[in-house]
Amino acid sequence: MARNWRRRLRRGVMYTVVIGLLSGTTFGVQAEGDRETAGLSPRVRTSNPAIAALLTEASIGSATFRGLVSSIEGTDGIVYIEPGQCRHGVRACLSLSVAGAGGFRILRVLVNLATDALELMSTIGHELRHALEILTEPSVRTSQQAYLYYAREAATGRDVFETQAAIQVGFAVERELARRR
């Protein structure tokens, strides 16, 4: 009897977590002159109002950033961007945890909000590029496969991974946003 109760409790908690993950806040992605007709991005989400404002600003000011979000929308992935601390003292990171839910691959980007807004937006663009690298690789469906993918494709040493494409995207987003300021 107690075993059935625990099983129902675990399932209830699991369903609650999945529903919570799938119902995150979305932000508008729009062209500069297209604010009224802007659609929502169901694939890049946050529950943090400060991050949502940064995502909106980056989408308005950077074609590269908008392109990343648009490319992510064409995948089977959902990327959550939330406040958090990363190892190795970096400002933001793509967590290599890949979770499946309802046919989608769920990825998480953690960001340190104690960073300059311009720097943070370019860093988020950098991390979205990493998310896109995982999402365009259909065979990467688990955390272990994500780790092995980066160990093979982008190892820099001691569980730190970096790609030239992500570095270039970060610089491009920063340049585009700096021109607008």
Side-chain angles (χ1 to χ4, degrees):
M1 192 62 133
R3 176 182 266 176
N4 287 335
W5 180 82
R6 278 188 240 141
R7 183 179 303 140
R8 281 190 299 232
L9 179 63
R10 276 196 308 265
R11 283 185 184 156
V13 169
M14 180 186 67
Y15 292 138
T16 302
V17 169
V18 169
I19 289 169
L21 285 173
L22 294 177
S23 66
T25 303
T26 60
F27 68 95
V29 177
Q30 56 214 11
E32 215 168 316
D34 194 22
R35 293 187 180 168
E36 302 82 25
T37 61
L40 294 179
S41 172
R43 301 302 178 102
V44 179
R45 303 176 179 183
T46 186
S47 62
N48 183 288
I51 295 173
L54 290 171
L55 294 174
T56 300
E57 184 178 342
S59 295
I60 292 169
S62 171
T64 302
F65 196 93
R66 282 191 305 276
L68 280 170
V69 173
S70 178
S71 295
I72 289 170
E73 288 172 354
T75 69
D76 66 345
I78 297 173
V79 181
Y80 284 89
I81 303 172
E82 298 298 336
Q85 296 297 317
C86 301
R87 297 181 348 193
H88 310 294
V90 296
R91 293 181 298 270
C93 59
L94 172 68
S95 167
L96 292 182
S97 64
V98 179
F104 295 100
R105 291 182 284 170
I106 310 294
L107 302 177
R108 272 186 28 207
V109 171
L110 300 175
V111 297
N112 180 350
L113 293 177
T115 305
D116 169 66
L118 177 61
E119 199 174 306
L120 190 53
M121 288 184 283
S122 65
T123 302
I124 291 172
H126 173 101
E127 297 306 329
L128 286 177
R129 174 60 197 175
H130 284 312
L132 185 59
E133 291 163 356
I134 292 288
L135 293 172
T136 55
E137 191 65 39
S139 64
V140 178
R141 304 208 71 79
T142 67
S143 300
Q144 181 181 14
Q145 290 168 336
Y147 178 86
L148 292 173
Y149 169 80
Y150 275 119
R152 180 181 69 246
E153 300 293 328
T156 60
R158 292 189 304 145
D159 293 338
V160 177
F161 307 110
E162 194 55 77
T163 64
Q164 195 61 39
I167 292 170
Q168 291 171 349
V169 162
F171 287 146
V173 169
E174 186 171 20
R175 273 191 313 275
E176 292 166 2
L177 292 172
R179 272 187 243 147
R180 289 185 49 94
R181 290 186 166 211

